[in-house]
């Protein structure tokens, strides 16, 4: 199969490609953006826009991708972006915003958020950047979400003080580092699915978040969905699917 | 706080315990079952019954727990049970059923299943026991679910052949061992949240399921919820929360 | 230095060894027991008898060691002993006792236990053998200790129901497998030092107890002492030192 | 449960909350400190103040927390603080002190230390910063403690030269990196519980302290409590509980 | 055996060394290049020139090696070279070229490339540097190769769009980070051997490329050859052997 | 897309499916074999038949798969089969053969082997079963291959004695356990691509083959393709692709 | 080079092979022994006979190898042999001896041992089998060696009691499991090189001997040579080289 | 035991300490050097001076230690020293020398080296710093040693070219990174004990030297002594003991 628009249409016209084939080819036709190829058809298939993972990309690559997205009238959401690249992107595009805690840049008109029952608990102050990344992405997808801070298991009464919020949530995101015990406690206090996000906060055996991750995966409480370490984006996207895909 | 029913009621009568306190104490009062204490109040708080993890428990412990559950008119669902223990439990209780692929025993009246949009894909024939455990638990919770078999990534056309089912699913469970690549592909073909279950099928570097697990956690596709290795119960409970907690 | 009693005394008599040297030599003189050499002087130096770790020792070795201990009028405490070896040892010695849950044999007169403020919490039914090993060793050392069962974090109210016991404990031993989150919660509810014992209960990422161990070591709660996986003996010995060494 | 003081009191007045409930609510009411919420009630429950872990917190966060603590007339103890942040905190608050070896800042009136039998052995010169952190925290809690330096196992006579101090200690803290063998030797020379602190001193296989940690956990000597790598705070808090919780 | 040319020839002349021995000695005689000894005979034995791995070598060492190679009329290919060293080498030698994406320097006349059926797929934009290293080395060996970009498994249609290229390839190189699932899919779509190159692109559990590596090794698709993480050189050399060693 | 043959043809007839679509659907139509679905179309796409991995499959599953294959006139190659299952399969099908060193069963007419330049070196006697598995699979694919035994690096002269064979090979398979050093030496003695197969032979640090695997992946010699531990099938399939895909 | 004796001599006679070449070819000519090829020339090159590692070899293979060795008048030393195989070998050959603690069989006339200054310390009773393997191999090589038992670091006085033996040793072998601390202490008490042998004795974090191994490698004492876990053979061979290669 | 010289002598005079005790106390009396305590008596016990490991020590600590050593007329050997500290130490003391490849400083009169049969092979140019560290320490101990460079296994003929040197060596040190295969080959070519030093040269799976280390430990060749990664000092000290402790 060729990737070229003209050829797709010609082969359709000449009967070598059925209507269904043509639609499929069009929906997967990548949009060139510098060295990258954007997948603007993904939104049709998966219901979510493509989030740009900024960590291993050069400024030039990020500028090209952002330009292609804005020209296609899409919202650009770039995560794990360096302050320098963030500044350059914001200078280059109007309607851009940089969150320096979440390390995210958005370019384009942000949607108005709606309350869809997403609750977000954050175990410690040090886990805040991951909570912020989750919030920025959810907000950019139109979902209301505000972190509840400092509800770690070392002071269990604080968690219990949130029982009412947990009882009415549709999905609960729990962000924790170190021993990652919070989701186990929370899942015992709610009927909602719990998305557990381990963070790389810790030192010694818990450095880099592997202990928190393993803790969450081996929880004795049922109903926990675990994502990668520090993966605020993944938690946001998973929560978004849960609250929007309710046909 | 005392755990004794009589004392709970007396302290309530004497005004030392408020009504609210009394209700909470009652809802968390454990039911003795041999050495174990059952948490029959869990269902009120979390919406799901307690599943009995049979692997490290003796036959005597399992019989005591099952007896306590049946006396409380609850369905007993016991997973990872040895064939010997399964046989003894089935002999001891009427209305019991043993699935020797899933290694699960249920004791009590099973509910009628309803179609709630749970799709289950199983990558290989060797992953079938985990798929079966997932199915048994979901069915016991009243949710319809039938595994679609042999849709591994080595033959990608088989996965694509399921695009229509994926498009209308409310949640998709994907079970895979070895390199665990299937959820990445599936999440790109659906709007539903994807629950990824790594299995311990494999050898050499992939023995015990750690590669499949890590693969799923580090997927480049968004919207994936990962559970522990071979954790069919966890996948079922998570899916159950997703499709029932939609206030 | 020679290990022979006669030579020790002769060199003392001949002035080649001072009184202090002689006492030291005598206190460290090992007692032959088959291939092994017992360290009966250890009790003088460390306040605790030598516990025999049975796992890698043959029946012949265990019988020889037990014989030497009983002849020296010491209590023999043998852990991780196979049922077969346990039976043979109990047949060979009067006043012997085998606990088949703890996998421990004691030979000799057990002391009367005293209440010294040691509280023992056990997260799940599957963790019971480790709790029992801890109890058997503490009891053999004359310390009262009874496990409080099934207080896992998935049902946090059960833990909270034990707050009064925790408030007056002198030391709290917490035994938990899987994600090992219980000590973090408990340490926030007591002023006592908490001894955390990870167990090898779990599967997938938590198999063999490494996740529970790492969780306990990286707890965000202060005041937690961690011991090796399934190390009930270590917890007992540590608790014993804490409650007896209060000059 | 609401977190608001006024509401707590009103519900008490209106009889919706018992006296006991009201006291509990008050004791767990968090004090806002910028983004963080302080747990001033922790001291009541656990006997120890909250130590601020400085590593992942911004200067703004640390200043806010310190301000809240000093306004509540509490001693602020901040560990793993950067020299820059330390300097700013010391400039902002009177009665502050920075230890640049321990990387700790204290703000507030330090208590007079008492001798409570805590002995601290440090294996090598390179382990000194962890020993100093332990000492700073213990001193801030009012406990006397001075490290005994350079008593590694490569020169066993130095360890033996400390036998008298070990014989009378109530608790012995042992700090060691590389192969972490010192606690095994020390526990054989004392009746006191031994707190083993592995350090990240080493290279090759022992880099990051995992070998020292595992060595300590698998010691053949009984009576050893292990804490996380470089966790001087944890050792201090554990020792503090041991020597003060002797009802 | 002596390494000295003169001695080799003399011993041959004097009959102490046979003709065969002499040829072997000559073919393995190292060429001094500063501290290093070049193996110019390797090309005769293995069909490929020696690639200089620049990462742990000083500029002085690299300059000496390059000088020796150019004096022997060989092409110098230096990988993993720092920008500073690259600049100095390019200044010192004519006919040199630095690729700042691949981090490679070549010194000497590059051959004209031929099409030998090597196809190169690159999963993501972030994997581009490894793809570029592969391309630079293959081109320097005279083999045509151009990366096909952004064909990750999250959008499987893009992979399928390349089926025609895959069908006619003689060898397919697949470069992917994160979960490394692409080779499994590709090997199911071609008859050619697939060279899988894991990259260190990722974070959390997939940081440093170990998950991608393990995924590729445990693929359920047959016909996959795996090389070290980020090892573009290794992939190029392996592909070169495959397409040139077809006697 | 439906999987049913009749429906495929009907939709073609009714013009809802193009000719191309129909061919693709037919080529990927799975053949039911008990619980499994066979992919008989794979041979068309990848040039190699499906090898049945027997380790996690029940006898019933293996018999069903073998029956489906023989009915489709395909050769069944089953690896990692237990002696019991092997015996039952051989009893059930004529023209079957069991190799009890390789743990492989073949059912069907084996092809006549041709010499295609595949050389196989086996480091130690203990590695022989993996070598045999490789040989059985290659022979079943029609490729001649006989292991050269006992050429480990501890006696380097034995390796050198094989230089002539290595010089004319088209591909060299090297099987080694323990430190896995043989491929590094071999790759320096041939122009052929080297397929390195680590084995699980070893103990202590090299148990389970991870050291041999890592050694091979990090070889300083270029031109090495590594497969999973004990993966004789993978080596055979990779070699097969190399020597047959030479358009 | 051909492996055949006749051809070697013929090519020598015909002048195609020099005298030196011929001697080398003869010294490396393998002796067939069933599937294996023995390297009888190794003794000439390395000073030590080939030890047969029995763990992964079948009885048939072991019998063939033993037969070839005895026919060549060599002593056969077979380690890690199963009791069954040991019995069969002893039945088949006269002058054979089986040590059921060391799991070693020797066939042939054992040499008279000489005292060469090899001291062997064994930390615990459970480590005895490894000590015995070391002793059996050293004795078979003609070197006197008797284990000193039960000198673990938990009772440091026992180690100190051996200072005189350590002072005059030429090499000290130290065998220890669990935390593996003994070599660090011993190396500080002797001028001799210390060979450290970790054993797989332990449980939890120290299971399988990795902690003891890492401890020994990261010792703060200089002069320690580490071998693989449970590698009594390796320790014996290394000690043998140290005490015999003193030109 | 007191550490104070005066007290030692007084107790001797007063008969409370025997002559033997007094000598022992004196030989272990530490010399204060800033925060550190030097062990000048170690040389008497172990035959080797104390090497100062500079990596985790401050400049002030290093200067204090060097001053104490020079005042005691000892040679100071400081390894892993930063260029800045090296410069300051050299400025502060006469007769000092800094090797910037080995990262070592020596202060004091270096001994004249003697040839004691220590051969040193270095696999690659990148391993040179570790070889240099080994050489500097051996030279400072009076032992001649010059690295033979670039003898990696990828060009096995280079290793074979050194057979004559290997045949007459008393001990062979082999330094290698990446797959660490060189010691296996070398141990098959010499009767001398082989000291294997893994280096952290490599990337991907071999980063940080763990693969080289494990390779060396699991070598199929007997007679190999392994030390920690990059541990040139350890290799030097071990070789020194081997060649000097030959009573």
């Amino acid at each position: 199969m060729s990737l070229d628009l003209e050829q797709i249409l010609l082969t359709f016209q000449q009967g070598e490609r059925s209507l269904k084939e043509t639609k499929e080819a069009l929906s997967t036709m990548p949009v060139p953006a510098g060295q990258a190829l954007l997948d603007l058809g993904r939104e049709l298939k998966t219901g979510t826009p493509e989030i740009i993972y900024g960590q291993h990309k050069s400024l030039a690559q990020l500028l090209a991708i952002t330009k292609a997205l804005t020209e296609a009238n899409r919202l650009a959401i770039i995560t794990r972006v360096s302050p320098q690249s963030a500044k350059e992107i914001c200078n280059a595009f109007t309607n851009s915003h940089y969150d320096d805690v979440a390390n995210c840049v958005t370019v384009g008109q942000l949607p108005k958020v709606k309350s869809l029952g997403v609750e977000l608990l954050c175990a410690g102050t040090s886990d805040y950047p991951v909570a912020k990344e989750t919030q920025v992405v959810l907000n950019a997808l139109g979902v209301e979400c505000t972190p509840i801070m400092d509800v770690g298991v070392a002071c269990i009464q604080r968690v219990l003080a949130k029982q009412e919020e947990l009882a009415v949530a549709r999905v609960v995101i729990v962000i924790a580092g170190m021993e990652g015990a919070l989701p186990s406690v929370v899942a015992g206090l709610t009927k909602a699915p719990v998305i557990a996000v381990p963070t790389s906060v810790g030192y010694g055996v818990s450095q880099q978040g592997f202990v928190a991750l393993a803790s969450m995966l081996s929880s004795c409480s049922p109903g926990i969905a675990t994502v990668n370490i520090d993966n605020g984006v993944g938690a946001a996207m998973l929560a978004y699917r849960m609250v929007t895909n309710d046909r």
Side-chain angles (χ1 to χ4, degrees), chain A:
Chain A
M1 263 182 254
S2 158
L3 294 172
D4 184 79
L5 178 57
E6 195 176 322
Q7 196 191 339
I8 290 173
L9 296 178
L10 282 174
T11 51
F12 173 58
Q13 196 182 43
Q14 292 153 12
E16 287 169 23
R17 212 187 272 268
S18 70
L19 178 62
K20 194 178 151 202
E21 266 185 336
T22 306
K23 276 166 66 183
E24 197 173 299
L26 286 173
S27 84
T28 61
M29 190 179 66
V31 177
Q35 271 154 352
L37 293 174
L38 295 181
D39 180 12
L40 300 183
R42 178 184 289 192
E43 204 160 341
L44 292 176
K45 287 187 305 285
T46 67
T48 45
E50 196 173 354
I51 310 283
I52 307 304
Y53 173 63
Q55 190 166 7
H56 291 90
K57 298 202 177 66
S58 67
L59 176 58
Q61 289 176 321
L62 292 176
L63 288 170
I65 290 169
T66 307
K67 186 157 170 288
L69 283 168
T70 52
E71 286 173 354
N73 283 320
R74 304 294 172 94
L75 179 64
I77 310 171
I78 310 171
T79 62
R80 303 206 172 205
V81 69
S82 70
Q84 293 76 4
S85 292
K87 200 180 156 190
E88 297 285 344
I89 295 168
C90 288
N91 285 344
F93 298 95
T94 56
N95 220 347
S96 59
H97 178 255
Y98 171 49
D99 185 310
D100 65 351
V101 172
N103 286 318
C104 295
V105 167
T106 54
V107 180
Q109 182 63 42
L110 289 167
K112 207 161 177 293
V113 297
K114 278 180 293 188
S115 172
L116 294 172
V118 177
E119 206 66 59
L120 194 164
L121 272 64
C122 185
T125 311
S126 307
D127 305 313
Y128 189 52
V130 180
K132 206 71 200 295
E133 187 189 90
T134 311
Q135 183 184 18
V136 165
V137 173
L138 274 170
N139 289 174
L141 295 170
V143 181
E144 191 183 83
C145 171
T146 309
I148 300 174
M149 296 299 297
D150 272 309
V151 280
V153 291
C155 182
I156 201 67
Q157 283 83 357
R158 287 189 185 177
V159 184
L160 295 171
K162 298 294 168 195
Q163 271 180 283
E164 282 170 30
E165 286 87 340
L166 295 174
V168 298
R170 183 143 165 214
V171 52
V172 182
I173 301 172
V174 181
I175 295 174
M178 309 193 83
E179 79 269 54
L182 188 56
S184 289
V185 173
V186 169
L189 298 171
T190 182
K191 294 181 178 176
V194 172
I195 300 175
V197 190
T199 72
S200 53
V201 169
Y203 63 93
V205 295
S206 60
Q207 69 195 356
Q208 301 188 298
F210 283 92
V211 171
L213 171 66
S215 242
M216 291 163 176
L217 285 166
S218 50
S219 174
C220 53
S221 298
I224 297 177
T226 307
V227 298
N228 199 358
I229 298 159
D230 292 333
N231 191 5
V233 171
M237 299 296 264
L238 181 56
Y240 180 78
R241 288 190 179 212
M242 287 185 192
V243 295
T244 58
N245 184 55
D246 48 354
R247 64 205 65 170

